[in-house]
Amino acid sequence: MRVFVFMMVMMCSCAMANANALRLGDQGNEVAEIQGQLSSLGYDVAADGDFGPATAEAVKEFQASQGMVADGLVGPATYAALLGKDMPEISRGSNYISRRVVQTSMQYLGVPYVFGGTTPGGFDCSGYVRYVFAQAGIYLPRMADEQYEVGMPVASSDLRAGDLVFFSTYTYGASHVGIYLGDGQFINASSSLGVSISPLFEGYWGSCYIGARRVL
């Protein structure tokens, strides 16, 4: 019985520790402060307030350099080692759903592209986005051009993790869609790579980017 109670206490402690941790998909001034410190230490991170994949990788590298568990989460120990002060309580209010969308989107990395695909067995671009958002209780239209009409337009300078990003590829207008992750990167189901992460404003995708919508 005592062993069971000890295990339950340890599980609750871990859950509480993880609850008070900044992670992939989080946004805000605390994230920007962490990014600024990582940047000053030489890590390739922009202090934009979006905890994206590049920030998570930089956190992992910093943790490894400090002999800590490299999990990419900025909990109290990592926060103190990085910023030299106690970590404040983290509010899980407005960005909870966007964080859930980002975390869910990452679960399907490597899933192959299938034209017309709407399940983890194979996705097309809009099928993937629709599926990911549905897991968070948000139901989007099926096609990319229809999704482009949902929510509010967002300037590229105001993008936040969880925003939908759109491209004009094989036809005029919004013909491809992905999910912004922060750090100038987005995740999408592309015909060449399947579900994968790419830079938003560089190369091919940068040349055919047409805008973003916020539905969260």
Side-chain angles (χ1 to χ4, degrees):
M1 180 67 178
R2 270 187 277 182
V3 173
F4 174 76
V5 171
F6 174 76
M7 290 176 65
M8 290 299 292
V9 169
M10 290 300 294
M11 289 171 65
C12 289
S13 297
C14 290
M16 290 173 66
N18 284 338
N20 193 36
L22 291 160
R23 68 197 75 197
L24 193 69
D26 279 336
Q27 300 128 5
N29 293 332
E30 293 93 350
V31 174
E33 185 178 14
I34 289 165
Q35 292 170 322
Q37 181 64 9
L38 287 167
S39 179
S40 72
L41 293 173
Y43 296 96
D44 186 16
V45 175
D48 59 6
D50 280 324
F51 200 127
T55 300
E57 287 304 312
V59 169
K60 288 179 183 179
E61 291 179 25
F62 172 79
Q63 290 170 323
S65 75
Q66 301 296 306
M68 308 172 75
V69 175
D71 58 8
L73 304 177
V74 181
T78 300
Y79 190 93
L82 185 60
L83 295 172
K85 60 183 180 181
D86 291 337
M87 185 174 182
E89 279 295 320
I90 303 301
S91 171
R92 292 298 179 201
S94 60
N95 73 350
Y96 170 76
I97 295 178
S98 63
R99 181 165 62 83
R100 183 175 175 185
V101 164
V102 168
Q103 290 177 332
T104 301
S105 74
M106 300 288 284
Q107 295 176 14
Y108 303 104
L109 281 169
V111 169
Y113 179 90
V114 173
F115 182 76
T118 59
T119 73
F123 290 115
D124 65 15
C125 66
S126 55
Y128 168 66
V129 167
R130 188 171 190 263
Y131 184 91
V132 167
F133 272 74
Q135 305 315 297
I138 299 170
Y139 298 94
L140 299 174
R142 171 65 182 91
M143 304 303 292
D145 58 345
E146 297 171 327
Q147 293 172 2
Y148 194 47
E149 301 301 319
V150 176
M152 299 179 60
V154 183
S156 58
S157 58
D158 293 327
L159 282 168
R160 295 199 312 233
D163 288 341
L164 300 179
V165 289
F166 294 88
F167 310 84
S168 180
T169 54
Y170 64 89
T171 187
Y172 178 79
S175 53
H176 188 79
V177 61
I179 301 168
Y180 187 65
L181 298 176
D183 295 327
Q185 299 182 74
F186 77 104
I187 188 167
N188 73 126
S190 76
S191 58
S192 57
L193 298 175
V195 178
S196 54
I197 297 172
S198 299
L200 178 59
F201 300 114
E202 301 175 15
Y204 172 74
W205 295 117
S207 68
C208 56
Y209 174 74
I210 60 171
R213 310 289 290 191
R214 181 166 298 152
V215 299
L216 300 176

